[in-house]
Amino acid sequence: MLAGMLDGKKTIDPSCPSRELLSHITSRWGVLTLIALKNKTLRFSELRQKLNGVSERMLIKVLKDFEKDGLVLRESYPVVPPHTEYSLTTSGLEAAGLITLLTDWIGNYQMKENAKPNKS
Amino acid sequence: MLAGMLDGKKTIDPSCPSRELLSHITSRWGVLTLIALKNKTLRFSELRQKLNGVSERMLIKVLKDFEKDGLVLRESYPVVPPHTEYSLTTSGLEAAGLITLLTDWIGNYQMKENAKPNKS
DNA sequence: CGGCATCCTCGCGGATACTG
DNA sequence: CAGTATCCGCGAGGATGCCG
């Protein structure tokens, strides 16, 4: 485990499987995807609009990775035109919660920082 | 704020200042640096050894960024040979705590996943 | 030992075009 | 609408060398 290895005397194993999941979650669009899906099930294009700036290719990759990781549930309806919905699994919801904790903290922290008098 | 913007109807502002701090914290070495400094004040070379695989250049960058962000305290002693110590500020400690929550969760999650019978 | 600066590689990630 | 495939720029990040 990541923290454990650092807290202990051992160095980090680069091949540690946690690294991959961690990189997925903390990736640029990974973070935002989790937050976006936190409360809502969304279709591909809805999600893409919310994450203003994602390329189609990257969003697909993130969603596929998360699906493999077990954080995202993909439901595809065989209709024309296609209709696919993405939602978080229970685990995904947990991860999203933790990420939200972090982003909320960042928001508060920067508010406090900017409130300080000695600021450029 | 990140979460707020996504929860609401507005899309994310790419120029949002939170994005930068978020990227620092969630960066490959940023995460590990926070964890490594969580309990200990460390010298540059000690830190470099703990984060097995960081290039000198990247570690310097991460530390400088965190110092600017107010998460890391740098104390340099003008002796020969040079001696510099890095520790977390109060805010840095808070951030490290949240990151640890996430990495711990990932560790547990993967343990559970691997314990499932239907696994390759 | 701590820290810059320089060079260079490599893959992340964007743009575009196409299909079911 | 939801993908897939291909091309490619660019910047993160590693290697190396030098200095206080």
Side-chain angles (χ1 to χ4, degrees):
Chain A
M1 214 168 315
L2 284 165
M5 305 194 95
L6 276 170
D7 288 341
K9 57 200 65 163
K10 301 196 68 166
T11 57
I12 288 184
D13 179 1
S15 64
C16 176
S18 298
R19 289 285 269 267
E20 200 190 340
L21 181 51
L22 180 66
S23 74
H24 290 165
I25 294 178
T26 61
S27 73
R28 180 176 181 192
W29 301 116
V31 172
L32 302 176
T33 299
L34 287 176
I35 296 176
L37 288 178
K38 200 186 170 193
N39 299 316
K40 292 183 126 187
T41 291
L42 290 177
R43 299 183 59 173
F44 185 82
S45 48
E46 292 172 327
L47 196 49
R48 188 152 141 65
Q49 281 171 11
K50 268 211 170 183
L51 308 191
N52 199 12
V54 225
S55 70
E56 196 181 70
R57 185 171 155 276
M58 276 303 109
L59 183 54
I60 289 175
K61 186 185 182 308
V62 167
L63 288 170
K64 270 196 175 158
D65 285 343
F66 278 162
E67 196 188 355
K68 270 190 194 170
D69 295 332
L71 303 186
V72 158
L73 180 68
R74 187 190 110 113
E75 286 173 297
S76 187
Y77 302 95
V79 296
V80 173
H83 186 110
T84 311
E85 292 187 343
Y86 293 91
S87 57
L88 294 184
T89 62
T90 308
S91 299
L93 222 52
E94 291 175 15
L98 293 174
I99 285 297
T100 304
L101 241 49
L102 184 63
T103 53
D104 284 352
W105 179 86
I106 290 177
N108 287 333
Y109 175 59
Q110 290 195 329
M111 275 182 48
K112 282 188 296 185
E113 283 297 294
N114 292 333
K116 285 185 183 173
N118 51 341
K119 274 293 166 182
S120 60
Chain B
M1 212 168 318
L2 284 163
M5 304 193 96
L6 275 169
D7 288 341
K9 58 200 63 163
K10 301 196 69 166
T11 57
I12 285 185
D13 179 2
S15 65
C16 177
S18 297
R19 290 285 270 263
E20 200 190 341
L21 181 51
L22 180 65
S23 74
H24 291 166
I25 294 178
T26 60
S27 73
R28 179 177 181 192
W29 301 115
V31 172
L32 301 176
T33 299
L34 287 175
I35 295 176
L37 289 177
K38 200 186 170 194
N39 298 317
K40 293 185 126 190
T41 291
L42 290 177
R43 301 183 57 172
F44 186 82
S45 47
E46 292 172 328
L47 196 49
R48 188 151 141 66
Q49 280 170 14
K50 268 211 171 182
L51 309 191
N52 199 11
V54 223
S55 72
E56 191 184 75
R57 186 171 156 277
M58 275 305 108
L59 183 54
I60 290 176
K61 187 186 183 308
V62 168
L63 288 170
K64 269 196 175 158
D65 285 343
F66 278 162
E67 197 189 354
K68 271 191 194 168
D69 295 332
L71 302 187
V72 157
L73 180 66
R74 186 191 112 111
E75 285 173 297
S76 186
Y77 302 95
V79 296
V80 172
H83 187 110
T84 312
E85 292 187 340
Y86 293 90
S87 56
L88 293 184
T89 64
T90 307
S91 299
L93 224 49
E94 290 175 15
L98 293 174
I99 285 297
T100 303
L101 242 50
L102 183 63
T103 53
D104 283 353
W105 180 85
I106 290 177
N108 288 331
Y109 175 59
Q110 291 194 328
M111 274 180 49
K112 281 188 295 186
E113 283 297 295
N114 292 331
K116 286 184 183 173
N118 51 340
K119 274 291 166 183
S120 58

